[in-house]
Amino acid sequence: RLVRLASNGLVALLVSDPDADQACAAVSVRAGSFDDTRPGMAHFHEHMLFLGTEKYPEEEEFDSFVAANGGEANAYTMDEETVFYAAVNADALAGCLDRLGAFFAKPLLDASSVEREVEAVDAEHAMSLLEDQARLHSVLRTTASAAHPFSRFSTGDASTLLGGGGGSKGGGGSAVSELHAELVAFNRRHYAAPHMRLCVVGRESLEALEVLAAEAFGEVARRGSGDDGSGEALPGESRPG
């Protein structure tokens, strides 16, 4: 069932499977590396969303909940979208959705975590240099037109995110503050209901899944520009009453 949340217009695809022993959810956001304000910003922002929300401020709370309920969670940044996903035991869907929805409703984006997470992105990039797929992608980027965003470095590292690196690699408080301000602006510009799509699979009824989706994602802001398709009727759409 395809639904549109009454509070903010977020579109969700709901799948009910009464025999499922696992439940899962995924969120696609129409913002990726092509939207970078500096190389690696979209990827860095993806990392920062995992570091706590107003409702669940502990950094490891989401991952701990998922692991304790037999699941896994991750995210990835592509050229034009960023995807977050999680799978848990079927009876833990409500808690998983509540925590995942908080990523997009009220993330902390704490300035005190910026330098540490830049280092994590930098380490991830260094590890990718040993991977054939990453090397092939680098070659493709160098052959692309310089006028196209595909030609840009998209993973990010300390030098691109902090203009010389953070922590032990140089940089300073002003660079961290500037990056944090840009991070918050990126979030406000792109992470809003008109730019998002949600998919939920669980053993609950479609009606119950719709309630869970509304409770978990109903506070996601509707701000942002661009066509969210709210003027069109979705195929098989059920509008919450």
Side-chain angles (χ1 to χ4, degrees):
R1 176 184 293 178
L2 205 56
V3 303
R4 195 189 307 275
L5 302 190
S7 61
N8 54 18
L10 191 151
V11 175
L13 176 63
L14 310 175
V15 180
S16 175
D17 181 357
D19 298 321
D21 55 10
Q22 269 207 324
C24 58
V27 178
S28 174
V29 183
R30 193 176 62 205
S33 61
F34 284 2
D35 300 289
D36 280 348
T37 50
R38 65 177 74 189
M41 173 56 74
H43 182 214
F44 173 64
H45 179 274
E46 171 215 308
H47 275 237
M48 289 294 294
L49 286 191
F50 280 87
L51 301 184
T53 65
E54 289 187 16
K55 189 170 185 179
Y56 300 101
E58 295 297 324
E59 287 189 4
E60 301 297 327
E61 209 283 336
F62 178 70
D63 288 336
S64 296
F65 177 87
V66 170
N69 287 279
E72 60 178 345
N74 212 331
Y76 55 90
T77 301
M78 301 180 68
D79 295 334
E80 298 180 299
E81 66 176 327
T82 303
V83 177
F84 301 78
Y85 61 91
V88 291
N89 293 333
D91 59 0
L93 176 60
C96 178
L97 282 178
D98 196 47
R99 288 161 174 79
L100 185 61
F103 277 30
F104 310 100
K106 294 181 180 180
L108 287 181
L109 301 177
D110 196 332
S112 65
S113 302
V114 165
E115 282 191 275
R116 176 162 45 86
E117 207 55 33
V118 166
E119 293 178 357
V121 171
D122 189 75
E124 184 177 329
H125 169 62
M127 290 181 61
S128 75
L129 296 177
L130 304 177
E131 300 173 0
D132 290 342
Q133 184 176 0
R135 292 178 176 180
L136 176 60
H137 189 263
S138 179
V139 171
L140 291 175
R141 280 195 294 104
T142 60
T143 61
S145 168
H148 195 281
F150 182 74
S151 66
R152 301 194 302 242
F153 175 46
S154 59
T155 306
D157 60 16
S159 63
T160 66
L161 290 169
L162 282 174
S168 61
K169 297 192 176 187
S174 62
V176 172
S177 296
E178 290 173 8
L179 175 59
H180 179 253
E182 201 169 307
L183 171 75
V184 173
F186 184 92
N187 178 270
R188 291 190 59 82
R189 184 180 308 114
H190 298 291
Y191 276 65
H195 305 153
M196 295 170 55
R197 296 295 183 265
L198 167 68
C199 182
V200 181
V201 180
R203 63 186 179 192
E204 293 83 353
S205 68
L206 291 174
E207 292 73 20
L209 290 174
E210 188 169 343
V211 170
L212 289 176
E215 290 176 346
F217 288 84
E219 292 187 22
V220 176
R222 191 178 182 126
R223 65 176 181 264
S225 59
D227 179 19
D228 64 356
S230 59
E232 300 181 19
L234 300 172
E237 179 179 13
S238 170
R239 291 183 183 272

